[in-house]
């Protein structure tokens, strides 16, 4: 099933969404579904004080900080994944999607969880076609799906990503707060 923005908003706020917080979507290239979501909610949201999605005018600045961190960890500006092993950098386990190259300067930070896992867009081509990359420690997972589909599947428990450890989250009644 393809999730819509309505489906994700209903999952996050079963009693109806609160008024948007913040300025809404920033003037950046973004996937259309994310622009619609941020128009409805504001600049982002936090689930159970454990998973944060925030997109605002500072997103490119925060992304550059994450690029430096990734460069430092991997000793390179990129890493190539062959199945589940990188050609450069520290050994990675749990990579999905076959062979691909991750160029850190192509990543735009989308969110994180309280275990240090991060979610990025791979900003190559049309924003509506951007892949999502989840990363934690030595683990990468690449997903070619819409951001709303990914978030709905992840937060509803219908989709499992090996990077985010959401199995112990409540199945219902997520505690969601809008970010400023």
């Amino acid at each position: 099933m393809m999730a819509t923005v309505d489906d994700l908003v209903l999952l996050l706020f079963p009693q109806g969404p609160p008024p948007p917080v913040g300025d809404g979507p920033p003037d950046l290239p973004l996937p259309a579904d994310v622009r619609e979501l941020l128009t409805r909610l504001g600049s982002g949201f936090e689930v159970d004080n454990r998973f944060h999605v925030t997109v605002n005018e500072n997103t490119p600045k925060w992304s550059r900080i994450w690029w430096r961190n990734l460069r430092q960890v991997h000793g390179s500006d990129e890493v190539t994944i062959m199945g589940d092993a990188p050609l450069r950098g520290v050994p990675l386990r749990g990579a999905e999607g076959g062979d691909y190259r991750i160029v850190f300067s192509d990543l735009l930070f989308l969110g994180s969880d309280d275990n240090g896992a991060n979610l990025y867009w791979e900003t190559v081509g049309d924003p509506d076609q951007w892949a999502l990359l989840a990363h934690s420690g030595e683990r990468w997972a690449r997903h070619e799906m819409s951001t709303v589909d990914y978030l709905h599947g992840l937060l509803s428990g219908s989709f499992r990503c090996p990077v985010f450890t959401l199995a112990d989250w409540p199945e219902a009644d997520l505690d969601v707060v809008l970010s400023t």
Side-chain angles (χ1 to χ4, degrees), residues 12-171:
L12 296 173
F13 303 99
Q15 305 302 319
V21 172
D23 297 330
D27 189 22
L28 299 171
L30 294 172
D33 61 339
V34 172
R35 187 165 298 286
E36 181 182 346
L37 181 66
L38 297 177
T39 298
R40 290 196 197 176
L41 299 181
S43 58
F45 57 90
E46 177 181 294
V47 179
D48 289 338
N49 198 29
R50 298 173 69 184
F51 185 79
H52 313 269
V53 172
T54 304
V55 180
N56 59 38
E57 67 281 345
N58 291 319
T59 296
K61 178 176 104 178
W62 286 110
S63 296
R64 287 189 293 277
I65 291 168
W66 287 112
W67 300 344
R68 283 195 299 263
N69 293 344
L70 290 168
R71 257 187 239 119
Q72 186 174 21
V73 168
H74 296 286
S76 175
D77 289 331
E78 64 184 58
V79 64
T80 301
I81 307 299
M82 300 288 288
D84 65 355
L87 294 179
R88 279 185 237 152
V90 299
L92 304 178
R93 293 181 295 279
E96 292 184 350
D99 303 344
Y100 57 91
R101 185 173 127 229
I102 301 166
V103 177
F104 301 143
S105 61
D106 289 340
L107 302 180
L108 188 62
F109 182 75
L110 173 58
S112 62
D113 74 3
D114 64 344
N115 291 316
N118 296 311
L119 185 61
Y120 303 95
W121 282 300
E122 186 176 32
T123 59
V124 176
D126 179 0
D128 289 326
Q129 302 302 314
W130 289 349
L132 291 158
L133 290 168
H135 172 254
S136 180
E138 298 178 351
R139 190 172 276 227
W140 287 91
R142 186 174 192 270
H143 305 278
E144 293 186 20
M145 58 185 4
S146 78
T147 303
V148 165
D149 276 341
Y150 179 87
L151 292 173
H152 187 275
L154 185 70
L155 297 173
S156 70
S158 65
F159 170 75
R160 298 289 180 203
C161 173
V163 172
F164 294 107
T165 55
L166 306 182
D168 57 341
W169 288 24
E171 294 290 322

